[in-house]
C-alpha cells in the first residue's frame, strides 16, 4: 500500500526481501493487481524504495508514483 509500503506475512521472508532491496541500485517488485492495497503483518520496505510492476492499476493515486503497468 502507499501508506504501509511493501509487506509480507512471513518474518523471515521480510528479512530476505529487505536485504535484497538494500543491496540494489534500483529495486523492482512484481505483483498482480489483487495484492495492491493489501497489507500483511511485516513491512520490508517503504513504497518509494522500489518500482512496482503490475498488471493493472485501478486507483489513480498509484499512477502518480513509481509504478509500471503491464497489460
Amino acid at each position: 500500500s502507499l501508506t504501509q509500503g511493501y509487506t509480507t506475512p512471513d518474518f523471515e521472508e521480510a528479512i530476505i526481501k529487505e536485504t535484497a532491496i538494500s543491496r540494489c541500485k534500483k529495486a523492482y517488485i512484481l505483483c498482480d493487481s489483487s495484492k495492491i492495497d493489501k497489507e500483511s503483518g511485516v513491512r520490508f520496505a517503504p513504497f518509494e524504495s522500489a518500482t512496482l510492476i503490475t498488471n493493472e492499476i485501478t486507483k489513480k493515486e498509484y499512477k502518480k508514483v513509481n509504478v509500471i503497468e503491464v497489460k
Side-chain angles (χ1 to χ4, degrees):
S1 75
L2 288 173
T3 55
Q4 184 63 20
Y6 296 107
T7 61
T8 183
D10 185 271
F11 182 75
E12 290 178 5
E13 184 178 318
I15 292 171
I16 293 167
K17 291 179 178 185
E18 181 179 33
T19 301
I21 287 174
S22 72
R23 294 181 180 192
C24 295
K25 288 185 179 182
K26 185 141 177 99
Y28 296 89
I29 303 288
L30 177 65
C31 80
D32 64 83
S33 60
S34 68
K35 294 181 178 180
I36 295 175
D37 256 356
K38 304 289 190 252
E39 297 176 4
S40 292
V42 186
R43 179 181 185 212
F44 62 88
F47 193 81
E48 311 79 41
S49 67
T51 298
L52 174 66
I53 302 173
T54 189
N55 61 313
E56 182 181 21
I57 300 295
T58 56
K59 294 186 174 188
K60 58 184 163 184
E61 57 267 16
Y62 280 92
K63 293 185 179 191
K64 299 176 185 174
V65 293
N66 50 338
V67 175
I68 298 172
E69 185 176 15
V70 180
K71 293 188 178 193

